[in-house]
Amino acid sequence: MKFKHAALPYMVWSAVFVLVPLGLVAVFAFTTQDGAFTIDNIARVSGYTPVFMRSVWLAILATAICLVIGYPLAYLMSRMSGVRQRTMVMLIMLPMWINFLLRTYAWMTLLENNGVINSLLRLLGLGPVRMINTQGAVVLGMVYNYLPFMILPLYSIMTKIDDRIIEAAQDLGANPFQVFSRVIFPLSVPGISTGVTMVFVPAISTFIISRMLGGGSNMLIGDLIDAQFLGNAYNPNLGAAISMVLMVFILLVMSIFNQFDDSEEREGMLI
Amino acid sequence: MKKLFSAVLALALALPLLLVPAWGEEMDYSGMDLGYYTRYKGQGRSISVYNWGEYISDGSDGSLDVNRAFEELTGIKVVYSTFDTNESLYAKLKTGGSSYDLIIPSDYMIARMIGEEMLLPLDLGNIPNFEDSVGERYKNPSFDPGNRYSVPYTWGTVGLIYNTTMVDENDLIDSWSCLWDPVYAGNMLMFSNSKDAFGIAFKMLGYPINAESKEQLDRATELLKEQKPLLQAYVMDEIFDKMTGGEAALAPYYAGDAITMMEDNPDLAFVVPEEGSNIFTDAMCIPKEARNKELAEMYINFMLEPEVGLANIEYIGYSTPNDRVYQLLDDEVKNDPVRYPDQELLDRCEYFVNLEPELAAYMDEKWTELLSADERYSQMLMPLVMLGCVIATISLNTARAVRKNRQQPN
């Protein structure tokens, strides 16, 4: 019981820096600039449907690509020897030591029409390919920046899958596909759920990638919120309302995902 | 013994600091009103200055360290910090909690701050240099009639920067309409801030640069929508890389920054279009929360001293509104049409002023519409998606509860 007090600093911290600001966001979202109650701000958010849908779509795309790339890699990593595992984790973490903004800026130089990749293509006689300022470039930027957040949770779950379980399944006559679909996949679902959350949430609210790699015309929700605070019409109330809607949306998506996670896991346990 | 050793070590470490002055150039205080500047000496007072980043001569590369010189002369300590956009300055002042004695916002932001009573009126009697230094054409600006709240620091224009190797020799780049020329499709950049982008559209349409009605904003939005498919990207600071690297042929930008780009890539050229353009000024103001108004006015006066102004303008690279500084410039700079366009052209340039809140909000709305105009969705889609998510969560939860109940008896 005494250890309960150990959590006190964090409780105070989260009360002051998480709960109070969240409350302030809600207060701002439901008031006018003069402080009177209104739901006008929330109603106005639906006017930005195209921006919302684009953000959701690009975030889903980026998350799916991260999962497709990250899943096999995480599995192979978890079956490697100790030294190799540590080296791989190191290699995945390495880009994260460099500032996020700088990494995105570097992609800009790579993808430009006179950039590194197109210069190489030109040397090979292949015409310049339009890469920068497209939605594809935005997704690429998201995948590149958030891929480690997918791989690491998957990897840490998969290292816990005992080789003997896989061998047992094989002994009992499961073919490779059955081993994957009935043993490995169900056991890795908690990792998938964490990884998807860790990629989807920052991807849907990112705001600088679209400006740098998307040519500014692929506006995302993050850019929209940024514009409410640092744009021409200083409108923190609308900005707070957009943030609120985004937050509720993310919460809903997460809760749906958690359902899958739990039930699938139980099935996995039953087998 | 140990104590003595550490004292000697500390002295040895501090010695280089004492011997080598941190500023490059010595300041010559003769010709300045010493009685005026030394009024507060020895009182241990300080002022807090909030300026743009890289916007004052700071002693690097042998330039004059202006703040250091001010401290030396007046005995007033300068607490100096920087911001990166007018909007972040505004947001910072608006949220309160900080107290600056001197800020240097741009024209339209000054107008907005005056409108919202965020600035203190200046006592020009405390700024004796104002009368002789600030040129007639820079006095009494439209954003602050009579210079009641602001004293200009630098100014510049917006124009077209283009790559001479990428545009047709016979094609004269002298109009905003070049930015709508299909010949340069995919090779043009545009401002990614609504105020500057709409300003260009207004000039194209022959309107004043500050929106007067929603109809004007609608027309301008149509024009910008026509331009969008021809553009490579909407940019701000990314333009430096893109223009110097030959990534784009044509883009609008600020004259002072164009000079920086032209130094890096000699193929670049700059022109202020004949329709006229935006002229902008960054000016020194005193915010309402200031605690040391007289000291801030003294600082403003000091910035107007010819030697100080010259050091600043050489460091920043923008244009000076200070006639006495202008006289000290090299002839080459004085006659540079990028920095100092002729009067006839300047007469066609306008300042941004503060828009009515309703029009500013409408402009932001139209700007968002422009940037996300590719797809059309029903406004009902988002509430429907949210509703779908809620239903999905509830039904999944129920399904799970039901299953749990069935498993329980076993």
Side-chain angles (χ1 to χ4, degrees):
Chain A
M1 282 307 270
K2 266 184 187 168
F3 285 106
K4 244 185 177 173
H5 297 294
L8 202 68
Y10 177 72
M11 302 291 258
V12 173
W13 171 273
S14 63
V16 174
F17 294 108
V18 180
L19 290 179
V20 172
L22 272 177
L24 279 177
V25 169
V27 168
F28 266 85
F30 286 105
T31 51
T32 62
Q33 297 204 331
D34 309 321
F37 176 83
T38 178
I39 55 161
D40 196 41
N41 294 320
I42 303 283
R44 273 181 67 190
V45 177
S46 63
Y48 297 108
T49 306
V51 183
F52 243 91
M53 294 320 285
R54 184 188 296 129
S55 303
V56 172
W57 170 237
L58 294 186
I60 290 176
L61 219 59
T63 313
I65 294 174
C66 279
L67 185 61
V68 168
I69 298 176
Y71 195 90
L73 179 67
Y75 179 71
L76 292 175
M77 263 168 71
S78 70
R79 303 296 120 189
M80 286 174 181
S81 67
V83 183
R84 280 184 151 192
Q85 278 189 29
R86 276 193 291 276
T87 318
M88 287 300 283
V89 171
M90 179 88 159
L91 283 176
I92 289 162
M93 297 285 285
L94 203 63
M96 290 167 75
W97 298 353
I98 298 163
N99 183 286
F100 170 82
L101 215 61
L102 211 60
R103 279 180 281 158
T104 312
Y105 211 89
W107 271 112
M108 208 169 94
T109 336
L110 282 175
L111 297 179
E112 269 173 352
N113 294 335
N114 294 321
V116 178
I117 295 175
N118 267 323
S119 306
L120 282 175
L121 286 178
R122 211 164 289 146
L123 274 181
L124 297 171
L126 305 161
V129 182
R130 187 164 167 264
M131 290 180 288
I132 192 107
N133 307 330
T134 59
Q135 293 200 347
V138 179
V139 174
L140 177 75
M142 290 178 181
V143 169
Y144 178 77
N145 280 307
Y146 303 131
L147 189 59
F149 298 120
M150 179 64 87
I151 296 176
L152 294 177
L154 278 173
Y155 160 75
S156 65
I157 281 288
M158 286 180 179
T159 45
K160 289 186 194 129
I161 302 178
D162 201 320
D163 270 334
R164 285 173 298 185
I165 298 178
I166 299 172
E167 280 159 19
Q170 285 165 344
D171 283 348
L172 293 171
N175 63 29
F177 177 73
Q178 282 171 322
V179 170
F180 174 75
S181 66
R182 310 203 65 165
V183 179
I184 300 172
F185 182 75
L187 286 175
S188 65
V189 165
I192 296 179
S193 153
T194 316
V196 166
T197 314
M198 301 260 286
V199 174
F200 184 76
V201 174
I204 199 172
S205 53
T206 183
F207 75 103
I208 197 74
I209 294 178
S210 57
R211 198 177 309 164
M212 285 166 97
L213 300 178
S217 57
N218 289 302
M219 200 185 227
L220 301 182
I221 314 176
D223 303 290
L224 193 61
I225 296 172
D226 177 54
Q228 302 313 317
F229 288 91
L230 299 175
N232 270 329
Y234 176 71
N235 194 346
N237 304 86
L238 181 59
I242 302 171
S243 310
M244 272 264 296
V245 172
L246 177 64
M247 225 151 39
V248 170
F249 179 74
I250 290 175
L251 258 172
L252 285 172
V253 171
M254 288 308 100
S255 79
I256 293 175
F257 237 87
N258 283 338
Q259 309 301 326
F260 277 116
D261 172 3
D262 251 333
S263 52
E264 294 269 345
E265 192 183 39
R266 189 167 303 111
E267 275 172 21
M269 303 285 231
L270 283 175
I271 286 173
Chain B
M1 190 61 203
K2 213 171 183 184
K3 255 185 191 159
L4 186 71
F5 177 71
S6 49
V8 169
L9 189 69
L11 194 68
L13 287 173
L15 208 57
L17 296 175
L18 296 173
L19 292 179
V20 185
W23 63 98
E25 203 178 303
E26 265 314 322
M27 180 86 197
D28 177 14
Y29 298 119
S30 60
M32 291 188 192
D33 184 351
L34 290 178
Y36 166 84
Y37 280 119
T38 51
R39 279 185 293 166
Y40 299 101
K41 206 155 194 167
Q43 297 181 16
R45 300 187 64 172
S46 67
I47 62 165
S48 149
V49 176
Y50 202 32
N51 193 0
W52 297 82
E54 301 280 313
Y55 220 50
I56 193 166
S57 177
D58 61 359
S60 60
D61 302 330
S63 61
L64 178 75
D65 187 337
V66 169
N67 283 331
R68 183 83 184 242
F70 180 76
E71 290 177 341
E72 197 96 324
L73 174 64
T74 62
I76 298 166
K77 194 174 174 327
V78 179
V79 182
Y80 190 79
S81 43
T82 60
F83 58 87
D84 56 356
T85 63
N86 279 305
E87 284 70 24
S88 65
L89 164 70
Y90 176 85
K92 186 134 186 182
L93 289 183
K94 204 74 186 170
T95 47
S98 50
S99 140
Y100 298 103
D101 296 311
L102 190 94
I103 52 173
I104 310 192
S106 306
D107 35 46
Y108 70 97
M109 191 49 75
I110 294 172
R112 180 174 187 171
M113 288 176 169
I114 294 172
E116 299 182 19
E117 295 182 349
M118 294 166 71
L119 300 178
L120 289 178
L122 301 175
D123 182 358
L124 290 181
N126 274 338
I127 310 173
N129 278 337
F130 177 80
E131 208 42 52
D132 309 332
S133 298
V134 179
E136 280 311 315
R137 66 159 100 152
Y138 309 109
K139 280 180 185 163
N140 198 17
S142 60
F143 59 86
D144 175 23
N147 288 95
R148 285 196 60 213
Y149 297 92
S150 69
V151 171
Y153 184 64
T154 55
W155 64 276
T157 52
V158 171
L160 282 170
I161 181 162
Y162 59 98
N163 192 321
T164 47
T165 59
M166 292 172 81
V167 301
D168 191 351
E169 270 172 50
N170 305 317
D171 199 355
L172 199 60
I173 305 287
D174 63 349
S175 157
W176 290 121
S177 60
C178 296
L179 284 169
W180 274 259
D181 190 342
V183 175
Y184 303 117
N187 271 325
M188 293 184 291
L189 305 170
M190 186 72 179
F191 278 117
S192 79
N193 85 64
S194 50
K195 185 168 45 66
D196 285 312
F198 272 101
I200 290 171
F202 287 146
K203 279 290 168 191
M204 273 279 286
L205 292 164
Y207 296 153
I209 204 158
N210 295 291
E212 292 168 318
S213 66
K214 287 191 173 180
E215 289 71 44
Q216 289 186 349
L217 278 164
D218 286 336
R219 287 280 305 280
T221 310
E222 287 311 310
L223 197 63
L224 291 171
K225 276 183 184 166
E226 282 170 34
Q227 184 199 27
K228 194 183 174 192
L230 302 174
L231 292 177
Q232 189 183 90
Y234 292 94
V235 293
M236 285 310 290
D237 287 344
E238 298 93 321
I239 193 175
F240 285 92
D241 264 16
K242 291 191 193 276
M243 287 311 291
T244 51
E247 185 70 14
L250 195 62
Y253 219 62
Y254 312 111
D257 297 318
I259 290 165
T260 312
M261 288 185 253
M262 285 153 73
E263 279 165 5
D264 289 339
N265 183 350
D267 290 335
L268 297 176
F270 180 85
V271 64
V272 177
E274 56 182 6
E275 293 99 335
S277 175
N278 163 233
I279 176 172
F280 58 86
T281 293
D282 294 325
M284 299 175 274
C285 307
I286 302 180
K288 194 129 225 172
E289 294 77 22
R291 296 202 193 106
N292 303 293
K293 182 162 179 278
E294 289 83 15
L295 305 192
E297 282 164 346
M298 185 185 281
Y299 189 82
I300 294 175
N301 197 57
F302 185 71
M303 295 308 240
L304 293 174
E305 294 289 346
E307 203 186 332
V308 176
L310 183 67
N312 277 337
I313 218 68
E314 280 177 347
Y315 181 86
I316 303 168
Y318 280 50
S319 315
T320 179
N322 190 328
D323 276 355
R324 290 196 292 170
V325 172
Y326 182 74
Q327 296 311 322
L328 295 175
L329 292 171
D330 297 336
D331 280 342
E332 194 193 336
V333 177
K334 272 186 199 167
N335 300 324
D336 179 3
V338 178
R339 284 188 180 88
Y340 300 99
D342 57 43
Q343 186 59 45
E344 191 218 352
L345 187 62
L346 281 180
D347 287 343
R348 272 175 278 156
C349 295
E350 292 173 82
Y351 287 109
F352 282 124
V353 297
N354 188 33
L355 289 181
E356 285 170 40
E358 198 188 334
L359 284 179
Y362 191 67
M363 191 197 248
D364 265 18
E365 207 174 293
K366 285 281 151 191
W367 179 247
T368 312
E369 183 191 311
L370 172 75
L371 292 190
S372 55
D374 301 338
E375 300 104 356
R376 284 251 151 257
Y377 290 101
S378 148
Q379 293 221 347
M380 290 312 291
L381 188 59
M382 219 165 67
L384 283 177
V385 169
M386 299 286 253
L387 199 68
C389 287
V390 173
I391 293 170
T393 317
I394 294 172
S395 50
L396 275 168
N397 255 322
T398 330
R400 208 172 65 165
V402 168
R403 200 163 42 198
K404 226 178 187 175
N405 272 340
R406 277 194 201 142
Q407 282 170 1
Q408 219 80 68
N410 305 338

